Amino acid sequence: MIFSTLEHILTHISFSVGSIVITIHFLTLLVDEVIALDDSSEKGMIVTFFCITGLLVTRWIYSGHLPLSDLYESLIFLSWGFSLIHTVSLFKRRKNDLGAITAPSAIFTQGFATSGLLTKMHESTILAPALQSQWLMMHVSMMILGYAALLCGSLLSVALLVITFRKVIKLIGKNNNLVNQSFSFGEIQYMNERSNLLLNTYFLSSKNYYRYQLTQQLDRWSYRIISLGFIFLTIGILSGAVWANEAWGSYWNWDPKETWAFITWTVFAIYLHTRTNRNLEGVNSAIVASMGFLIIWICYFGVNLLGIGLHSYGSFTLTSN
């Protein structure tokens, strides 16, 4: 009873503080260089991280096993993974620019986990026979941490694409306006020269230089975080194969979850391969990572909607009135 009450308290504190942090992040988008708001949001995410950590530890103590046995617990662990990435990047940098990605991801994931849709999973139960193994901690924790890192890296790539294509659309719009306003050959030549001058000025402007620097940072952060997530995912798949051989007598069974995990691994292997070619860096690799964002959610959440296969113990169950 005490542990259950403590879990509810920590859940409400972490979600409330996280919601305030997201609000602060939106305010900082409207008001530039507000140091007090930045400091408050970072401290709030640290509080959220420790609350989610306490929640997991509390559930671990009174359940007697690592809280990764169902969708609810894995979502809480995924939220913890997002907040962990945020906290680690905060200690490595004085200003954490990843907060716009990691903070909302952590809170939205936890918000869905604690919503009424997963009420039946909130109460800790005895582990299913297939999960009663020492491989539970290694396999599931590596997979969830891998998902968290890959999702963060993919979102950074999505942000890179949004910034890049917004810039391209603006340039195309300017060119169209200049061409539509010219009527004679002389005017067209003059306007083309003026257009080139405007474009050169645009590219050399401080605003465009900032955008260039931002896209380069997003590309580097995305590559580093996805590389880390790919390592976690690889370890998770390999440990899962060993566990499957012990439990079911075969290393690979082409279960829906296993199949989509392999597809996820392949997509991000392609992403890392594109990074080895300088001609494919930036937008091209970001497109692959953005596709990986959808693949991860299909693998992690979409397959659970079916409730079939050897991993059906983590299936999504709606509550009935």
Side-chain angles (χ1 to χ4, degrees):
M1 184 65 182
I2 296 177
F3 287 113
S4 179
T5 303
L6 180 59
E7 179 184 349
H8 284 297
I9 293 173
L10 290 172
T11 300
H12 288 301
I13 292 175
S14 59
F15 184 74
S16 300
V17 173
S19 300
I20 295 173
V21 168
I22 293 177
T23 304
I24 292 174
H25 273 295
F26 282 127
L27 289 176
T28 55
L29 293 176
L30 301 175
V31 183
D32 296 330
E33 300 298 330
V34 182
I35 299 177
L37 289 178
D38 286 336
D39 291 341
S40 299
S41 64
E42 302 305 346
K43 291 177 182 178
M45 275 307 296
I46 292 176
V47 172
T48 301
F49 169 73
F50 283 110
C51 285
I52 298 177
T53 302
L55 190 158
L56 290 173
V57 171
T58 301
R59 194 173 179 89
W60 190 349
I61 292 173
Y62 79 80
S63 65
H65 59 79
L66 185 69
L68 286 171
S69 60
D70 54 36
L71 184 60
Y72 166 73
E73 293 178 345
S74 67
L75 281 169
I76 294 296
F77 195 85
L78 180 64
S79 178
W80 179 81
F82 287 132
S83 60
L84 175 65
I85 294 173
H86 181 97
T87 305
V88 171
S89 59
L90 175 63
F91 285 118
K92 291 182 70 68
R93 289 176 170 271
R94 185 174 60 182
K95 183 180 179 181
N96 188 6
D97 297 315
L98 295 179
I101 299 293
T102 53
S105 299
I107 302 309
F108 290 154
T109 304
Q110 185 188 6
F112 178 77
T114 55
S115 65
L117 294 175
L118 301 178
T119 301
K120 290 183 179 180
M121 294 185 180
H122 288 193
E123 298 299 328
S124 181
T125 58
I126 300 174
L127 281 177
L131 297 178
Q132 295 177 6
S133 171
Q134 67 273 16
W135 287 102
L136 173 66
M137 183 182 298
M138 171 66 76
H139 170 61
V140 185
S141 62
M142 289 294 101
M143 293 297 292
I144 300 300
L145 287 175
Y147 290 154
L150 293 175
L151 286 170
C152 285
S154 299
L155 284 173
L156 290 172
S157 293
V158 172
L160 186 153
L161 291 177
V162 170
I163 294 173
T164 301
F165 285 113
R166 274 190 63 188
K167 181 171 64 178
V168 172
I169 291 172
K170 284 184 178 180
L171 290 176
I172 293 175
K174 287 184 178 181
N175 281 331
N176 289 337
N177 290 334
L178 289 173
V179 172
N180 290 334
Q181 291 173 0
S182 57
F183 298 97
S184 64
F185 177 79
E187 273 188 291
I188 291 175
Q189 186 176 10
Y190 168 74
M191 296 304 290
N192 283 336
E193 291 176 356
R194 182 183 174 189
S195 174
N196 291 332
L197 179 62
L198 287 173
L199 290 177
N200 290 333
T201 304
Y202 175 77
F203 277 110
L204 293 175
S205 66
S206 59
K207 183 177 180 181
N208 189 64
Y209 178 73
Y210 171 75
R211 285 184 177 178
Y212 173 77
Q213 290 291 97
L214 179 59
T215 55
Q216 292 299 307
Q217 282 186 332
L218 290 173
D219 191 40
R220 286 196 299 270
W221 292 341
S222 177
Y223 173 64
R224 292 174 182 176
I225 296 176
I226 287 178
S227 298
L228 179 62
F230 186 77
I231 294 173
F232 285 142
L233 183 67
T234 303
I235 296 174
I237 292 176
L238 292 177
S239 59
V242 176
W243 186 8
N245 184 59
E246 290 186 2
W248 302 314
S250 175
Y251 288 101
W252 198 264
N253 298 281
W254 292 108
D255 178 72
K257 198 80 167 181
E258 294 175 349
T259 302
W260 279 99
F262 176 72
I263 293 173
T264 304
W265 187 91
T266 303
V267 169
F268 285 100
I270 293 173
Y271 167 83
L272 294 176
H273 177 70
T274 60
R275 295 286 307 188
T276 62
N277 188 339
R278 287 188 173 275
N279 296 327
L280 297 178
E281 287 184 359
V283 174
N284 294 300
S285 58
I287 292 174
V288 177
S290 301
M291 293 171 56
F293 178 80
L294 298 176
I295 298 297
I296 294 171
W297 280 115
I298 294 174
C299 176
Y300 173 65
F301 189 73
V303 176
N304 289 38
L305 292 173
L306 302 176
I308 60 175
L310 299 173
H311 293 77
S312 59
Y313 49 80
S315 61
F316 178 80
T317 305
L318 291 173
T319 57
S320 55
N321 295 327

